Amino acid sequence: MTPPDLEVSDKEVLGWAHTARFFTTAAQLHQLPETGLPEVAFVGRSNAGKSTAINTLAQHRRLAFASKTPGRTQHINLFHVGPKDAPDQLWADLPGYGFAAVNRDAKRRWQQVMADYLQQREPLRGVVQMVDSRHGFTDLDQQLLDFMAERIHGGEISLLVLLTKADKLNRKEQSAILAKTQQLLASYVLTEEADIGVALFSALKGQGVADAARQLWDWRRQAGAETNETQPPAGET
């Protein structure tokens, strides 16, 4: 994983994450606006704690809607992050996947929408994948990772896996699932460009929240550096 910006305090990166606010929603990829902002997608199984993690990072109870019926949300919800008059990152909350009660046709459609977004969306710079620490990577989690593999290998997008609900495990169990996940993810680091990280996360205990916010901050910083590199120096055209 790219070395974090340690010159910035946890208070500053958390304060930045707390600026997250609702922007718009879309049911199809072609409905997504082109804002020019780098995007970070949040993905995970319907019961992996994705909405809770987003709300914890944003310090907002209802920013990401957590339905009582997992799998009901079938839109991509977008959130601006950064200064109100000049947001510098866009969070994309993708529908949860893998819940059996969802209509088969709807499930198939959303699997395709998510695959297309992860494989084709040009402004996408980072993905936060939520995986329930009690179960580790399931077949569906692995499939989603495979959707992104080519772009990860090429350095187009970075990946942060958050092992959610870590408070449900004791220290020995936490260490074991962290090591197992690191081993699995190592098989995806096939090039120097690949940028993959993993962290234990607990919204209830606050474990890993500042670390996750710092990674999002760093992706924002990296995207800004890329933009500056493509701009001509002052006075040149």
Side-chain angles (χ1 to χ4, degrees), residues 46-110:
S46 299
N47 55 356
K50 177 169 59 68
S51 296
T52 301
I54 294 172
N55 290 337
T56 300
L57 284 165
Q59 202 63 30
H60 191 306
R61 286 187 178 182
R62 299 279 292 177
L63 183 65
F65 181 67
S67 173
K68 292 183 179 180
T69 304
R72 278 287 177 86
T73 302
Q74 296 186 359
H75 289 75
I76 299 174
N77 295 313
L78 302 179
F79 310 103
H80 274 151
V81 189
K84 186 174 182 180
D85 57 346
D88 46 31
Q89 194 175 81
L90 198 65
W91 292 357
D93 180 16
L94 273 62
Y97 54 88
F99 194 71
V102 178
N103 176 275
R104 181 178 297 178
D105 290 339
K107 185 186 298 185
R108 185 182 299 112
R109 178 174 65 85
W110 270 110

Side-chain angles (χ1 to χ4, degrees), residues 146-207:
D146 290 339
F147 282 137
M148 303 181 284
E150 184 174 347
R151 298 188 76 183
I152 291 173
H153 295 160
E156 285 185 64
I157 59 175
S158 300
L159 173 69
L160 173 63
V161 174
L162 293 184
L163 296 171
T164 60
K165 307 181 183 182
D167 55 280
K168 305 293 185 181
L169 306 179
N170 59 39
R171 289 189 178 183
K172 183 178 180 180
E173 291 169 334
Q174 288 184 3
S175 296
I177 190 60
L178 184 60
K180 183 177 181 179
T181 305
Q182 288 172 332
Q183 183 178 13
L184 182 150
L185 294 174
S187 64
Y188 285 83
V189 184
L190 302 181
T191 65
E192 293 183 359
E193 291 80 11
D195 186 21
I196 301 176
V198 58
L200 293 162
F201 188 92
S202 168
L204 182 64
K205 300 293 186 180
Q207 182 180 7

Side-chain angles (χ1 to χ4, degrees), residues 1 126-130 158-162 195-199 211-213 215-216 219:
M1 205 70 178
V127 174
V128 181
Q129 185 174 11
M130 313 290 177
S158 300
L159 173 69
L160 173 63
V161 174
L162 293 184
D195 186 21
I196 301 176
V198 58
D211 291 338
Q215 187 59 74
L216 295 170
W219 287 345

